[in-house]
Amino acid sequence: MKTTPKFFMLLSMTIMLSTIFSCKQQPDTSEKLEAPKSATVEELGQMNRDFAKALTAKDAVAAAIVYDENASILPPNEPIVTGRANIQAYWQGAIDAGIIDATVQTIDAKSNGNLGYEIGTFTMRFHGANNDTIVEVGKYTEILERNEEGKWISTYGMWSSNAPMPTE
């Protein structure tokens, strides 16, 4: 069997092209995979400051918008409330019950990527049944997530009063 120079040239080109294509470099994605920066305590606490402002303005829609669409709140001595629409109805009930105002103070907050938490204290004032003012002081924990717009919203919120359990 006789081998021709054309055959060797064709074989060499095939080997060379297959080597080039198999060594194709991958694009540098190190810049695209940059981790999100950590949020400040101020950024993480903004969700609850916006929430307290909404309650004071008696705006249940604004109070609920700081929660994720599928968020849950865990109110004291009540069942879990899940979903922004149900959370809005819950806070509308608090407004209708006579909330006067609400304030919050962040104690600590941290984030890792797009997840974070905040713990703090709150004070809420309500109109009482005897035309008096009831002051509720307590603490809260929020599990936060950075949404597509970069804003921190709550996915889970839990709070409780500092008042001792009533004795009979």
Side-chain angles (χ1 to χ4, degrees):
M1 184 164 157
K2 187 173 162 188
T3 321
T4 64
K6 264 187 171 178
F7 173 77
F8 283 118
M9 183 182 279
L10 190 56
L11 181 61
S12 297
M13 295 231 358
T14 303
I15 292 171
M16 184 175 73
L17 286 174
S18 87
T19 302
I20 290 171
F21 287 123
S22 69
C23 292
K24 181 180 171 186
Q25 291 187 1
Q26 297 297 319
D28 181 16
T29 58
S30 61
E31 292 177 27
K32 296 175 190 170
L33 299 177
E34 185 176 311
K37 68 176 183 135
S38 292
T40 65
V41 170
E42 181 74 18
E43 290 170 313
L44 293 164
Q46 189 61 49
M47 173 263 156
N48 267 306
R49 287 191 301 280
D50 291 345
F51 170 76
K53 183 178 175 183
L55 282 185
T56 299
K58 297 169 184 44
D59 185 346
V61 173
I65 204 74
V66 301
Y67 292 93
D68 180 74
E69 189 66 39
N70 300 305
S72 293
I73 58 174
L74 293 82
N77 306 312
E78 295 184 53
I80 296 172
V81 178
T82 299
R84 188 182 291 149
N86 294 327
I87 292 170
Q88 178 180 332
Y90 179 89
W91 291 117
Q92 185 63 56
I95 291 167
D96 295 345
I99 195 164
I100 299 169
D101 60 24
T103 59
V104 295
Q105 178 67 48
T106 302
I107 294 172
D108 191 24
K110 289 190 175 54
S111 70
N112 186 355
N114 289 324
L115 294 176
Y117 73 86
E118 177 198 10
I119 62 169
T121 60
F122 70 85
T123 302
M124 284 193 208
R125 296 184 317 132
F126 296 88
H127 291 290
N130 301 325
N131 212 17
D132 55 344
T133 300
I134 299 168
V135 179
E136 177 87 22
V137 177
K139 62 269 182 200
Y140 64 87
T141 300
E142 297 287 344
I143 305 299
L144 305 166
E145 186 171 39
R146 194 185 332 244
N147 67 11
E148 296 82 31
E149 293 85 38
K151 189 171 182 176
W152 290 94
I153 58 175
S154 179
T155 55
Y156 296 98
M158 183 177 213
W159 67 97
S160 63
S161 173
N162 287 349
M165 292 292 292
T167 58
E168 295 184 64

